């Protein structure tokens, strides 16, 4: 049986107004509606397709605050079997490297994992490096930016779309795969799936449970610091040019003044 772990993240809804905390410039997650990241729904869908094609168990793994339970339940209602939720105040403000270390420890905690599936990048941080860092920490191959995934026995094949065409990747399991928005269309949870999700096991862990030193994670131990942030300025009215035979010249002068040309 293939043991699959899918990384899931709860993010601020892109249709909500997103803000930073004034004191430390971290993301103010309470100021916006929280949803499961859309790319993670596609990662879950891909795991479920692999499960339906053969014998597999799908575990959802999420690192986030208590409210991230909603995102986990969404993934479980789609058809995942169980979940692991790493929730610890010590993780607040953790950077990409610290987050990857925690994820790696959690994957090891799950057991003999054959495949980790993630989105190519989260819609809030947009670092796009977690899958690669995680693969390095786990010591397994990474097949990133996949638009098609095929698992055959102990081998995984991936098609990656680039500007120059399609790249074909192949590796032996275990491995880490990240998917793009072109991979699939995620299913909608059925009423039966939503009800079943309420009974599926969700294991909640702290960094101590994972054997991770709290002194190595969190904002104080992040590799970068935001020193200053300002809200996006409101849009102002544009400059209207009346064409009196010299409209083209006026437009050109304006573009030059804005250093566009």
């Amino acid at each position: 049986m293939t043991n699959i772990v899918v990384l899931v993240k709860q993010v601020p809804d892109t249709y909500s107004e997103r803000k930073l905390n004034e004191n430390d410039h971290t993301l103010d997650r309470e100021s916006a509606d929280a949803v499961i990241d859309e790319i993670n729904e596609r990662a879950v869908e891909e795991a479920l397709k692999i499960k339906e094609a053969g014998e597999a168990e799908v575990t959802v793994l999420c690192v986030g605050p208590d409210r991230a339970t909603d995102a986990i339940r969404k993934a479980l209602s789609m058809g995942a079997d169980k979940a692991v939720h790493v929730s610890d105040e010590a993780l607040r403000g953790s950077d990409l490297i610290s987050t990857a270390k925690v994820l790696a420890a959690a994957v090891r905690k799950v057991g003999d994992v054959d495949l980790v599936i993630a989105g190519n990048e989260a819609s809030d941080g947009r670092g796009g490096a977690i899958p690669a860092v995680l693969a390095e920490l786990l010591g397994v191959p990474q097949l990133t930016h996949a638009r098609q995934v095929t698992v055959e026995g102990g081998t995984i094949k991936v098609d990656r779309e680039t500007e120059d065409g399609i790249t074909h990747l192949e590796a032996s399991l275990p491995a880490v795969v990240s998917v793009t928005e072109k991979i699939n269309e995620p299913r909608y949870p059925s009423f039966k799936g939503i009800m079943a999700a309420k009974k599926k096991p969700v294991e909640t862990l702290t960094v101590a449970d994972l054997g991770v030193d709290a002194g190595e994670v969190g904002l104080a131990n992040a590799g970068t610091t935001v020193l200053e942030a300002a809200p996006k300025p409101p849009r102002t009215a544009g400059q209207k040019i009346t064409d009196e035979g010299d409209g083209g010249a006026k437009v050109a002068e304006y573009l030059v003044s804005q250093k566009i040309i």
Side-chain angles (χ1 to χ4, degrees):
M1 182 174 67
T2 305
N3 193 2
I4 304 174
V5 168
V6 184
L7 305 188
V8 166
K9 186 177 185 182
Q10 188 183 62
V11 297
D13 192 336
T14 53
Y15 294 101
S16 299
E17 182 180 0
R18 291 166 288 178
K19 301 178 181 179
L20 298 180
N21 289 304
E22 295 182 0
N23 57 338
D24 57 13
H25 306 306
T26 57
L27 181 63
D28 182 0
R29 296 188 178 275
E30 300 299 325
S31 66
D33 295 332
V35 297
I36 182 174
D37 205 343
E38 182 180 344
I39 193 65
N40 296 154
E41 292 186 64
R42 298 180 189 274
V44 172
E45 176 65 27
E46 197 61 25
L48 296 177
K49 289 173 64 177
I50 295 172
K51 176 184 176 181
E52 291 164 354
E55 190 176 0
E57 182 176 61
V58 178
T59 301
V60 173
L61 171 57
C62 177
V63 174
D66 292 344
R67 69 188 298 200
T69 302
D70 293 339
I72 294 171
R73 290 297 178 190
K74 175 69 177 293
L76 291 175
S77 67
M78 291 175 66
D81 300 295
K82 59 181 181 177
V84 173
H85 183 190
V86 183
S87 181
D88 196 317
E89 183 60 27
L91 291 169
R92 183 179 180 279
S94 292
D95 63 5
L96 185 149
I97 299 298
S98 296
T99 301
K101 289 180 179 178
V102 172
L103 287 169
V107 170
R108 296 189 186 100
K109 186 80 171 179
V110 171
D112 296 325
V113 176
D114 300 296
L115 180 61
V116 178
I117 304 179
N120 60 319
E121 66 176 6
S123 62
D124 54 356
R126 312 218 50 142
I130 285 286
V133 177
L134 178 61
E136 176 68 20
L137 293 174
L138 293 175
V140 300
Q142 55 171 298
L143 301 91
T144 55
H145 296 271
R147 62 167 294 171
Q148 183 172 340
V149 176
T150 304
V151 177
E152 298 176 350
T155 302
I156 182 167
K157 298 179 181 179
V158 159
D159 288 348
R160 174 198 289 162
E161 184 176 0
T162 69
E163 294 180 355
D164 300 319
I166 303 297
T167 302
H168 304 287
L169 309 176
E170 182 176 330
S172 297
L173 297 177
V176 173
V177 171
S178 69
V179 301
T180 69
E181 69 282 352
K182 294 184 179 182
I183 190 73
N184 57 47
E185 286 296 329
R187 68 193 67 186
Y188 289 101
S190 64
F191 177 75
K192 181 179 179 181
I194 294 172
M195 297 305 294
K198 296 179 180 181
K199 299 180 180 179
K200 292 180 179 179
V202 178
E203 183 179 10
T204 303
L205 302 172
T206 64
V207 291
D209 295 328
L210 297 174
V212 176
D213 185 354
E216 297 180 356
V217 298
L219 182 62
N221 300 285
T224 58
T225 302
V226 178
L227 300 179
E228 185 178 352
K232 183 179 179 180
R235 296 183 63 178
T236 57
Q239 181 175 333
K240 184 177 180 180
I241 294 177
T242 302
D243 187 6
E244 298 177 346
D246 59 350
K250 290 181 178 179
V251 170
E253 290 175 2
Y254 174 78
L255 295 176
V256 171
S257 68
Q258 298 299 310
K259 297 182 179 180
I260 297 176
I261 61 173

